[in-house]
Amino acid sequence: MRRRHFDLVVVTHIDGDHVEGVARLLQDRRALRLGIGDIWFNGYRHLSAVPSDGLGPEQGEYVTALIDRDRLSWNAGVSPPGGPVAVPAGGSVPVVDLPGGPKLTLLSPGPEQLTALRRTWRGALRRAGMEPGDTAEALRRLGERRDLRGLGGDALGGDGLDHSEANGSSIAFLLEHAGSSLLLTGDGHGSVLASGLRRLLAERGLARLPVDAVKTPHHGSAANVTDDFLALVDSPRFLFSTNGAVYGHPDRAAVQRVLRSRTGPVELVFNYRSATTQTWADPPWPHTAVFPAADGILTVDV
């Protein structure tokens, strides 16, 4: 097996469907001959460093313990190095230059979202009989989790928006390299993403952000893909990462909002062909639906 190297691994937030795969990957990192330059992940220790201005904390502790055990580089690319991956309350949005030329512009989360997550994280761990930062206990429990061995729900309020603290803390960023751009949103709240975008647009003197592709937040949930967020991006291509098996994503309303936000051609890219995505490939729709891997997960060999 040839060696692979990731300059940066971003764990967007602690929801199980975003963090459990990383916990499995890190356990088998040596067997997979995987090198990692830096990991961006807001663990509990980073939440305490934030100014006062489907959740998975237990899995977050597993990832924390694995990073500590293997002495991996952790949040080294942010300022200050080793601090939280967050957009400060004031000033310019953070920009990070990655090896080889890519530029990453951070859009989410902010101090408010990380402060809210801190309370939820500690409460969830106490109910599970754990304390933040107990590496030995986290590794012991991880060893007992058959579902998290190595690789060998929406929380909606009455206003129809996502109020999950975990999703609100999602690391989201604009990645730019060699004339191409990609907006990666995690499960971010539409309002938080819009706030980050407005700050970036003000810095660049733009009304909307031109970007080659947008990964829709929260698997295409209508609680996150808001008109406010979409009004700030100008993209011909929207990516949907979901098979729709649990929550029926992407939501019909979310896809319709995407289509309404565009006056030109739109390409919808789905990593699964399923009941919730196939409907957007059937005519008559004023867009193109693409299934790069029609019967499975789209993967990229790096």
Side-chain angles (χ1 to χ4, degrees):
M1 180 186 296
R2 68 183 178 89
R3 180 174 174 82
R4 299 184 180 193
H5 180 83
F6 295 157
D7 293 321
L8 177 64
V9 173
V10 180
V11 186
T12 60
H13 62 298
I14 58 169
D15 266 353
D17 58 334
H18 288 252
V19 73
E20 288 183 354
V22 177
R24 298 176 65 198
L25 177 70
L26 292 181
Q27 291 180 81
D28 275 354
R29 184 177 60 85
R30 291 187 177 88
L32 294 171
R33 302 187 65 196
L34 175 63
I36 298 175
D38 193 17
I39 296 178
W40 282 15
F41 168 60
N42 284 324
Y44 185 83
R45 69 186 63 173
H46 300 106
L47 308 185
S48 62
V50 177
S52 58
D53 58 326
L55 187 60
E58 190 170 341
Q59 291 92 329
E61 288 295 309
Y62 298 157
V63 172
T64 294
L66 290 167
I67 294 174
D68 280 341
R69 183 195 68 183
D70 293 347
R71 301 178 183 273
L72 297 173
S73 175
W74 190 359
N75 290 4
V78 301
S79 180
V85 182
V87 179
S92 300
V93 291
V95 176
V96 178
D97 294 318
L98 300 178
K103 180 175 70 173
L104 186 155
T105 303
L106 192 64
L107 300 174
S108 169
E112 180 182 351
Q113 287 72 44
L114 295 187
T115 299
L117 177 62
R118 175 180 168 82
R119 295 190 295 268
T120 303
W121 187 306
R122 190 173 187 87
L125 286 184
R126 284 179 171 173
R127 289 191 294 273
M130 296 178 65
E131 286 294 327
D134 189 340
T135 299
E137 176 62 11
L139 291 175
R140 185 191 69 78
R141 293 195 182 205
L142 177 59
E144 296 175 349
R145 289 285 299 268
R146 296 181 62 86
D147 59 318
L148 291 182
R149 289 184 176 177
L151 294 174
D154 286 10
L156 304 183
D159 56 5
L161 297 176
D162 185 352
H163 294 279
S164 159
E165 289 87 356
N167 290 345
S169 72
S170 286
I171 297 173
F173 52 89
L174 171 67
L175 182 64
E176 299 171 287
H177 180 58
S180 297
S181 56
L182 174 64
L183 182 59
L184 293 165
T185 59
D187 281 0
H189 291 173
S191 59
V192 179
L193 295 170
S195 176
L197 284 169
R198 288 192 187 95
R199 290 173 62 176
L200 175 60
L201 292 171
E203 291 178 14
R204 297 190 178 186
L206 299 172
R208 300 182 75 178
L209 180 70
V211 61
D212 293 314
V214 176
K215 201 287 292 183
T216 54
H218 202 187
H219 316 286
S221 169
N224 303 70
V225 184
T226 62
D227 289 327
D228 188 33
F229 160 67
L230 292 171
L232 300 174
V233 296
D234 182 13
S235 178
R237 186 173 297 106
F238 289 81
L239 316 180
F240 295 83
S241 178
T242 179
N243 65 359
V246 179
Y247 294 108
H249 293 149
D251 290 334
R252 188 177 188 86
V255 181
Q256 289 174 334
R257 288 172 190 162
V258 167
L259 298 177
R260 287 200 309 266
S261 72
R262 290 282 298 169
T263 57
V266 184
E267 183 176 85
L268 307 179
V269 182
F270 303 100
N271 65 335
Y272 278 94
R273 187 185 294 274
S274 64
T276 58
T277 60
Q278 178 61 41
T279 182
W280 299 102
D282 298 331
W285 301 113
H287 64 260
T288 301
V290 179
F291 299 86
D295 298 313
I297 301 174
L298 173 63
T299 60
V300 179
D301 188 18
V302 291

